[in-house]
Amino acid sequence: MNVYEVRHDSDCYEWLVASGTDGGKWLDFTRFKSLGEYLAPEWAPLRFRSPSIDAEDYPVALPKGDFVALGTLRFALAPRAMTAVGGLMSRYGELLPIEHIGHPDPLYWFHCTTIIDAMDESLSCMRRFPDGKVSNVDRLWVYPEKLSNAMLYHIPQNGSFLLCTDTFKQHIEALGLTGLKFVLKWSDEPAGMKYISSREPRELYKMPPFPVSIP
C-alpha cells in the first residue's frame, strides 16, 4: 500500500486567486472552520479570478487543467473532472460551487470531510506550534489496517494536506485527468520506503532512523 499527498500541479496548470472581498471569506472557510465540518448549509459561491499575466509570480499563461488550484493546497474540479470523478469524490466530501470570473463553465471546490485517525504518532516525525498543535508532518507513518476502505481523507493531527491511497491515484491517471500530482508520503513496499528515506531532511529536522529495515 502507498499513501500520497494530493497536490495541484500549479507549476504546469492554471491556478486562481480569490477576488476582492471574497478573499477574506475564503480565508475564513479554509482556516477557521473545524476540520471535517460541512460547509454547504452556509455556502454561497465565491468569486475567483486568474492572476494577472504580467505579475512577477505568474509571468506566462498556463494551460487549463481538469483540476484547478485555489491558492496553495486546495483545488476545484473543472467540468471534465466533475463529470468523470465528481460522484466518486462526493463520497468523501463536499463539492461546493465557485465562480471563475469571465468564464461560463462552473467549478466545484472539493472540501474533504472524511477524517481518519490513521497516523502512528510514535513513528511519525512532526513539528508543533507552541500550543502543541501539529504544524507540519515531516514524515508520515500510518496504520495501514485503518485505510483498507479509504480513498481520500485528512488526518486529525493536520488537515492542511489531503491524502489518498493507490486507488484514487490510479483512477485519476487511468482517466487521463490533468492538474493534480501525487507526492508519496508512506509506503509498505520496499521501493517506496527507499524513495521516501532518500528524500528525508534528517539533518535539518534531526529525524531518527527509518523505523523499519529497508532491503
Side-chain angles (χ1 to χ4, degrees), residues 43-176:
W43 182 259
L46 300 182
R47 289 158 52 90
F48 284 77
R49 61 173 177 81
S50 300
S52 300
I53 299 304
D54 59 353
E56 182 178 345
D57 57 351
Y58 200 79
V60 297
L62 295 174
K64 299 180 185 299
D66 299 314
F67 295 90
V68 182
L70 306 177
T72 305
L73 297 171
R74 292 165 179 84
F75 57 85
L77 283 69
R80 184 166 175 258
M82 189 66 182
T83 299
V85 294
L88 173 66
M89 294 180 69
S90 66
R91 302 175 194 172
Y92 303 94
E94 302 173 300
L95 291 165
L96 303 172
I98 64 170
E99 178 185 348
H100 184 186
I101 297 173
H103 296 264
D105 292 334
L107 299 175
Y108 293 86
W109 168 39
F110 175 64
H111 172 234
C112 182
T113 56
T114 300
I115 314 299
I116 302 178
D117 190 7
M119 184 171 79
D120 183 344
E121 292 196 18
S122 68
L123 295 178
S124 299
C125 291
M126 301 163 286
R127 283 175 279 172
R128 297 181 182 272
F129 293 113
D131 63 2
K133 293 182 179 179
V134 175
S135 63
N136 196 52
V137 179
D138 296 310
R139 181 172 70 209
L140 177 68
W141 198 263
V142 303
Y143 298 107
E145 65 274 11
K146 294 187 177 183
L147 300 176
S148 58
N149 297 315
M151 188 174 289
L152 287 164
Y153 61 97
H154 289 303
I155 53 174
Q157 291 86 352
N158 188 317
S160 63
F161 52 76
L162 177 66
L163 298 172
C164 78
T165 52
D166 294 290
T167 306
F168 181 74
K169 176 179 180 290
Q170 293 167 0
H171 192 56
I172 295 297
E173 292 173 344
L175 291 170

Side-chain angles (χ1 to χ4, degrees), residues 31-42:
R31 290 194 180 181
F32 303 121
K33 294 294 182 180
S34 298
L35 186 63
E37 180 179 353
Y38 284 88
L39 304 179
E42 57 181 301

